[in-house]
Amino acid sequence: MTKSTSFSTLLQSVFPREQLEELLADIGYIDVARKFTVYDLLLFWTQAALHQWKGYRDAEPRLLSNGLKSVDHSTLS
């Protein structure tokens, strides 16, 4: 298991999807994304910061190998 996958797993155990959904409901935010949800975006941001990715196009080929959903750079942006 790679370091980044371990970090992602740790983050998901500390801050589960349900807890974020409750927080979003409390502030009145409705997540309508089908491909890339708020939780996916949170995981993306943490991986991007951990690996110091340069941008969306730099991140696109690295998503699957870091335990994230594979989407194109326009979805990320």
Side-chain angles (χ1 to χ4, degrees):
M1 185 183 285
T2 64
K3 175 176 60 173
S4 62
T5 305
S6 299
F7 180 75
S8 181
T9 304
L10 177 65
L11 178 66
Q12 291 176 37
S13 66
V14 172
F15 194 56
R17 182 180 302 267
E18 296 78 25
Q19 188 176 3
L20 180 63
E21 289 172 357
E22 289 175 19
L23 178 65
L24 293 174
D26 287 347
I27 62 171
Y29 181 81
I30 299 172
D31 191 6
V32 296
R34 287 177 273 158
K35 290 183 183 180
F36 210 69
T37 64
V38 171
Y39 196 72
D40 297 324
L41 185 60
L42 173 67
L43 296 176
F44 168 76
W45 282 337
T46 57
Q47 290 296 322
L50 180 67
H51 295 290
Q52 299 178 353
W53 293 339
K54 294 180 171 108
Y56 299 119
R57 290 182 191 265
D58 182 40
E60 183 181 356
R62 302 171 190 222
L63 294 174
L64 280 178
S65 64
N66 286 285
L68 301 172
K69 286 184 180 179
S70 179
V71 293
D72 59 25
H73 61 274
S74 62
T75 301
L76 288 174
S77 64

